[in-house]
Amino acid sequence: QQQVRQSPQSLTVWEGETAILNCSYEDSTFDYFPWYHQFPGESPALLIAIRPVSNKKEDGRFTIFFNKREKKFSLHIADSQPGDSATYFCAASHSSNTNKVVFGTGTRLQVLP
Amino acid sequence: NSKVIQTPRYLVKGQGQKAKMRCIPEKGHPVVFWYQQNKNNEFKFLINFQNQEVLQQIDMTEKRFSAECPSNSPCSLEIQSSEAGDSALYLCASSLLGKDTEVFFGKGTRLTVV
């Protein structure tokens, strides 16, 4: 059972456009939702994260929109740059950080100049 | 930048051979995770530790996989009898205790079972 679903599998946008990556989850007890990005040959790195007490979290060009009722959240990358090209993973976990993180299947983002 | 050190970066083993990989978590991080990332980029949680104690592990881990995090030594993940389906990137991650603490990943060990 895939607990965290992610779409699209791949996404191509032009430089300057907003890229939108989507995720949904099953377990309503998840309460921490990070996004990671992973460049080829590199390890995943935390990009931004949100807790359900908020429905929006911004960090520079990156914004998470969260809909607790529909159990969906999305990452918006504004003014996309070629350097943003990477694979992005949404994830979910429970409060205690000793609990495992459940990852989505990833979105391969390509930003064309 | 992550300071989780994984060795070796690449590991090639024949089917049935033992495969062992190591991880030095970031200094001061008591929580360690092992994940398997397959060629489709899918993550599978394997096991996690708090200090030397196993917190959670999946069934697969309990059979052919073993892991430990001894005090004052690197953590390790060992596959007793490698199978072709074990070919993947094995990622170690560590974190502090507490809410909202970041999990830092190492660069991984890419295992190829031939």
Side-chain angles (χ1 to χ4, degrees):
Chain A
Q1 181 190 8
Q2 183 62 38
Q3 293 188 52
V4 177
R5 290 188 170 81
Q6 187 170 351
S7 63
Q9 189 173 18
S10 64
L11 176 64
T12 299
V13 299
W14 294 102
E15 183 174 357
E17 291 186 330
T18 296
I20 299 175
L21 291 66
N22 300 298
C23 277
S24 62
Y25 60 99
E26 302 280 334
D27 187 345
S28 57
T29 64
F30 284 140
D31 65 354
Y32 180 65
F33 301 90
W35 281 89
Y36 290 84
H37 60 174
Q38 186 177 22
F39 296 96
E42 297 293 319
S43 54
L46 180 68
L47 188 60
I48 186 172
I50 193 168
R51 287 196 177 270
V53 292
S54 304
N55 56 20
K56 183 179 176 182
K57 175 84 174 285
E58 281 184 270
D59 185 357
R61 296 185 295 109
F62 302 93
T63 303
I64 299 177
F65 291 93
F66 187 84
N67 186 324
K68 187 175 181 179
R69 184 178 60 83
E70 294 186 10
K71 292 194 269 187
K72 293 181 178 179
F73 58 110
S74 60
L75 176 68
H76 292 221
I77 305 174
D79 188 25
S80 296
Q81 302 296 308
D84 295 330
S85 297
T87 301
Y88 290 77
F89 295 92
C90 61
S93 69
H94 297 99
S95 287
S96 167
N97 81 312
T98 58
N99 283 310
K100 63 182 179 182
V101 175
V102 180
F103 288 89
T105 50
T107 295
R108 183 168 293 178
L109 174 66
Q110 184 177 23
V111 181
L112 301 176
Chain B
N1 285 335
S2 174
K3 297 181 179 64
V4 177
I5 307 298
Q6 287 190 250
T7 57
R9 288 294 306 275
Y10 301 93
L11 189 58
V12 180
K13 293 291 178 181
Q15 293 195 49
Q17 288 187 319
K18 193 179 295 186
K20 187 169 186 175
M21 53 204 87
R22 292 176 175 81
C23 170
I24 300 175
E26 188 157 338
K27 190 175 182 180
H29 284 191
V31 184
V32 173
F33 301 83
W34 284 98
Y35 289 89
Q36 178 195 65
Q37 187 179 26
N38 66 20
K39 62 181 179 180
N40 296 320
N41 276 334
E42 295 164 335
F43 287 83
K44 179 181 286 185
F45 167 82
L46 297 177
I47 192 168
N48 63 345
F49 293 84
Q50 181 176 338
N51 297 312
Q52 294 81 52
E53 187 176 332
V54 174
L55 296 175
Q56 300 165 290
Q57 60 182 335
I58 63 168
D59 286 346
M60 178 183 79
T61 311
E62 291 171 7
K63 291 173 182 171
R64 294 185 298 111
F65 288 59
S66 62
E68 60 177 2
C69 274
S71 60
N72 302 316
S73 292
C75 297
S76 64
L77 176 68
E78 187 171 76
I79 306 172
Q80 294 301 318
S81 178
S82 301
E83 298 176 356
D86 297 331
S87 296
L89 180 68
Y90 289 84
L91 291 163
C92 176
S94 73
S95 73
L96 293 168
L97 279 171
K99 284 190 176 185
D100 293 342
T101 57
E102 185 174 346
V103 175
F104 293 88
F105 284 84
K107 290 189 182 295
T109 293
R110 186 166 295 282
L111 171 66
T112 302
V113 181
V114 298

